[in-house]
Amino acid sequence: MAKSIIFAPSKSRELVRNQVKWKTEMEKQIYSSKLASALRRLRRTEPEIVRSRAVRIAADRVLAVSAGGQMQWSRSILSHRRRSAIINKTHKRTCRTSIHRMLAARMWPEFSPLQRKIIALRRLVPGCSKISLSSLLSETTDYIAALEMQVKAMKFLTAVLNGGA
């Protein structure tokens, strides 16, 4: 018999509240206006690659600010951006060598398929590498709802800027 994950009533109410929060029209308008003002501050003289990264960082940061620091993923985005601004810009993260990749590949057979998926999910949601499964699922649902709202707002802004709204 398969085990089912049971959430406490407070957790399920929290999940519903977070999903509803990102779907309100007011929240979308607030996010859109903050995103538009953040995008206006970007430099247009930079190369396209640098500009696209700056747009992504600005969109993520505005999304985290809109979340109000209530969720772990938003606090992680805000603290990471602050740290990266402090660190010397010439300092780059070293890429993994092929030996490290092979060692990592050898470690995967130790985990069940479900554990592999949980590990992958922890890598996808910012700031969720060391939290419990129930918290991870709560953070993930809020993060997905926030990203959906972000996509809708960016589509709207693109349509407005292209004159098709």
Side-chain angles (χ1 to χ4, degrees):
M1 188 152 93
K3 292 183 181 178
S4 62
I5 298 173
I6 300 172
F7 290 103
S10 61
K11 284 283 186 189
S12 62
R13 272 187 259 132
E14 180 184 323
L15 292 174
V16 171
R17 186 176 65 240
N18 288 336
Q19 288 176 345
V20 170
K21 173 189 173 193
W22 293 111
K23 292 183 180 182
T24 63
E25 195 60 37
M26 183 61 130
E27 195 67 35
K28 290 177 191 174
Q29 289 176 355
I30 291 170
Y31 175 76
S32 297
S33 64
K34 286 181 180 179
L35 180 61
S37 65
L39 293 177
R40 278 189 218 111
R41 289 189 297 255
L42 296 179
R43 295 181 184 162
R44 295 179 187 198
T45 58
E46 294 176 346
E48 177 105 15
I49 295 172
V50 175
R51 227 176 332 153
S52 64
R53 180 171 166 79
V55 167
R56 184 172 52 91
I57 290 171
D60 286 347
R61 188 163 174 78
V62 169
L63 188 64
V65 168
S66 296
Q70 294 175 354
M71 300 300 283
Q72 181 66 32
W73 63 264
S74 65
R75 291 190 300 270
S76 174
I77 288 173
L78 292 172
S79 67
H80 176 69
R81 299 301 179 221
R82 259 188 252 125
R83 279 194 312 253
S84 65
I86 294 170
I87 295 174
N88 187 358
K89 294 186 181 193
T90 60
H91 175 65
K92 303 236 179 193
R93 184 199 283 174
T94 59
C95 25
R96 289 184 169 178
T97 63
S98 59
I99 295 169
H100 289 123
R101 275 186 248 146
M102 287 189 310
L103 289 174
R106 284 186 202 153
M107 290 173 57
W108 277 111
E110 297 175 9
F111 299 112
S112 71
L114 179 62
Q115 287 173 325
R116 289 182 197 168
K117 290 176 183 178
I118 292 170
I119 290 169
L121 187 60
R122 284 192 167 126
R123 288 181 182 164
L124 288 173
V125 181
C128 293
S129 60
K130 297 179 181 179
I131 61 174
S132 68
L133 180 59
S134 62
S135 297
L136 174 66
L137 295 175
S138 173
E139 291 282 335
T140 302
T141 55
D142 186 66
Y143 188 56
I144 289 172
L147 289 175
E148 287 174 346
M149 193 263 315
Q150 183 183 46
V151 168
K152 289 177 186 174
M154 291 180 105
K155 282 182 181 178
F156 175 75
L157 286 176
T158 304
V160 167
L161 293 174
N162 289 334

